[in-house]
Amino acid sequence: MTGNESNVVARRGLMLVLSSPSGAGKTTIARALLEREAGISMSVSATTRSPRQGETDGKDYHFVDVERFHRMVEAGEFLEHARVFNNFYGTPRAPVEATLAQGNDVLFDIDWQGTQQLGQNPNAQNDLVSVFILPPSLEELYRRLSGRGLDSPEIVAGRMARAGDEMSHWPEYDYIVVNDDLDRSIDAVRSILAAARLKRERQADLAGFVNRLRGLDRDSGG
Ligand SMILES: Nc1ncnc2c1ncn2[C@@H]1O[C@H](COP(=O)(O)OP(=O)(O)OP(=O)(O)O)[C@@H](O)[C@H]1O
Ligand SMILES: Nc1nc2c(ncn2[C@@H]2O[C@H](COP(=O)(O)O)[C@@H](O)[C@H]2O)c(=O)[nH]1
């Protein structure tokens, strides 16, 4: 079973992408989702940025230097990659492909550039479900970025300066969640996941299952 739906009909895994301006709350929502949902795991990105206090290599990110990052790009190891806030970020391809092939889902915390790349990839676009998280106001975004206490005032200012541009990409996403009340936002993203899992196209053997229900395949031994 790959989530909270029936385990009778097999299905392909899906790629659930969360994007937002920095500080709007996607990491917080992602962590809560992973605690509450079975059958979904986080894609751990590679990045050239330095670890923040409390971040663990291999769990929050794979922290690599710029040279290593470029070697990974050259070797085609990324499903998507982008430069964000003067650092490089990329999604390692192999773990995502292995997880999807097992019928499990993958959660991504990536920016709009990475989401665009996944949407343009013929092998990925059918598995993609994208959610854009908006802050309730710019004042609250600033409060969250500075209240997190992990970035210098210069970095906070840089991220605030980029927020408008990033938010302009909301029309490229399937779903929009305004992250005002955290519990409501978590519930909203869980509902999106539940609905996406039940999409007809994603349930791989529906035709065979219904044929068996109708007794149409008795002679084929299925
Ligand atoms: N609905 C909410 N109400 C109040 N605070 C929140 C809410 N959602 C998240 N926060 C807080 O806002 C801060 C930023 O959240 P978070 O780190 O999840 O943002 P992010 O979008 O992942 O940022 P980044 O892109 O920089 O990684 C955190 O301190 C978090 O606890
Ligand atoms: N395109 C990608 N964007 C990514 C990836 N991993 C993270 N991100 C985005 O970068 C910014 C900054 O993240 P932070 O952890 O330094 O605050 C944020 O918008 C992330 O969503 C990735 O693999 N690809």
Side-chain angles (χ1 to χ4, degrees), residues 5-33:
E5 81 284 29
S6 154
N7 62 353
V8 177
V9 182
R11 69 169 179 86
R12 285 182 303 125
L14 59 83
M15 304 164 77
L16 181 64
V17 170
L18 303 183
S19 299
S20 78
S22 178
K26 59 194 172 305
T27 308
T28 308
I29 293 172
R31 284 189 183 143
L33 191 81

Side-chain angles (χ1 to χ4, degrees), residues 26 45 49 52 61 80 82 89-91 109-111 114 159:
K26 59 194 172 305
S45 297
R49 94 153 154 72
R52 291 189 186 118
Y61 278 107
E80 62 73 34
Y89 295 83
T91 299
D109 172 340
I110 61 175
D111 84 330
R159 291 183 177 215

Side-chain angles (χ1 to χ4, degrees), residues 48-88:
T48 60
R49 94 153 154 72
S50 309
R52 291 189 186 118
Q53 195 186 341
E55 283 183 331
T56 308
D57 187 32
K59 179 169 169 280
D60 299 291
Y61 278 107
H62 301 288
F63 295 100
V64 298
D65 59 26
V66 174
E67 196 185 321
R68 168 97 198 278
F69 190 93
H70 288 312
R71 278 205 308 274
M72 293 172 82
V73 172
E74 291 300 313
E77 288 181 35
F78 291 128
L79 206 49
E80 62 73 34
H81 60 93
R83 186 184 180 125
V84 191
F85 307 127
N86 294 327
N87 293 303
F88 295 105

